[in-house]
Amino acid sequence: RIDKSRDDSVIFIMVGTNDATVWADSRQTKIPLEQSKMNVQQLIQIAKNYSKNVVVIENPSIDEKTANEYRFDKSVLYSENHVEDLNQILRDVCVASSTDLISLPNYDHSLLEDGRHPSQCGHLKIFEIVKQHILSKRLLGMTFPHDPWAEVR
């Protein structure tokens, strides 16, 4: 639930990994990049109706070989190049809309459960990056006095 009366609410948007698919037979993108761009623009616009603090998180890189090995839908393939194309769209849209962006550089593929979705440790890595962003931008007035994830490491 979003409380519109608070100025310190933050909306985080992380989308696109599932859009990083191509049809196996034609190698054409399942979701055209222009459609992905419009989708992200719309999500940001809607989010900004609810909070002045909107932050987009890039997609982690994928392990294309593993992702395609473990895919359920055999009519599609996952493409690392397409993930990078989607991340470029996120960067461009964020610049154009003055929206904060969190990058996930050098994301370790061993943190991916199935080649594309983060494992528990992968989510922890993303949390640490997001936490640093929150603290550096002084969003939410939050501090983290203890490490809530110590027991899962």
Side-chain angles (χ1 to χ4, degrees):
R1 172 174 282 182
I2 299 172
D3 182 353
K4 286 186 174 184
S5 67
R6 294 184 56 157
D7 279 340
D8 66 349
S9 62
V10 181
I11 297 174
F12 291 95
I13 299 172
M14 186 176 188
V15 296
T17 304
N18 289 329
D19 287 353
T21 55
V22 295
W23 294 111
D25 57 355
S26 68
R27 305 297 172 142
Q28 296 296 313
T29 58
K30 189 173 178 183
I31 309 284
L33 291 174
E34 190 57 38
Q35 182 64 50
S36 294
K37 180 178 180 177
M38 289 188 302
N39 292 346
V40 171
Q41 289 169 327
Q42 186 176 20
L43 282 170
I44 290 172
Q45 181 180 9
I46 291 168
K48 287 187 174 188
N49 289 330
Y50 294 93
S51 175
K52 65 180 181 179
N53 298 313
V54 176
V55 180
V56 174
I57 304 169
E58 278 189 357
N59 297 292
S61 62
I62 65 168
D63 177 348
E64 194 172 298
K65 183 175 185 251
T66 304
N68 287 317
E69 218 171 274
Y70 291 100
R71 72 188 192 277
F72 293 105
D73 184 350
K74 301 300 182 191
S75 70
V76 297
L77 296 169
Y78 298 97
S79 165
E80 175 60 38
N81 290 336
H82 197 50
V83 171
E84 181 49 39
D85 291 342
L86 290 167
N87 281 339
Q88 186 59 53
I89 287 171
L90 294 177
R91 290 188 286 271
D92 293 345
V93 169
C94 285
V95 167
S97 64
S98 300
T99 303
D100 279 357
L101 176 75
I102 297 175
S103 295
L104 301 176
N106 306 316
Y107 194 83
D108 182 353
H109 287 170
S110 71
L111 299 174
L112 298 170
E113 199 166 66
D114 59 359
R116 50 187 188 119
H117 294 103
S119 64
Q120 185 175 6
C121 289
H123 282 290
L124 177 59
K125 173 72 171 169
I126 294 169
F127 165 77
E128 294 293 340
I129 294 168
V130 170
K131 179 177 86 171
Q132 287 307 313
H133 184 84
I134 291 169
L135 294 173
S136 70
K137 297 282 187 168
R138 299 187 185 273
L139 298 175
L140 303 175
M142 288 182 76
T143 59
F144 291 86
H146 69 286
D147 184 355
W149 293 93
E151 64 275 4
V152 295
R153 282 196 191 115

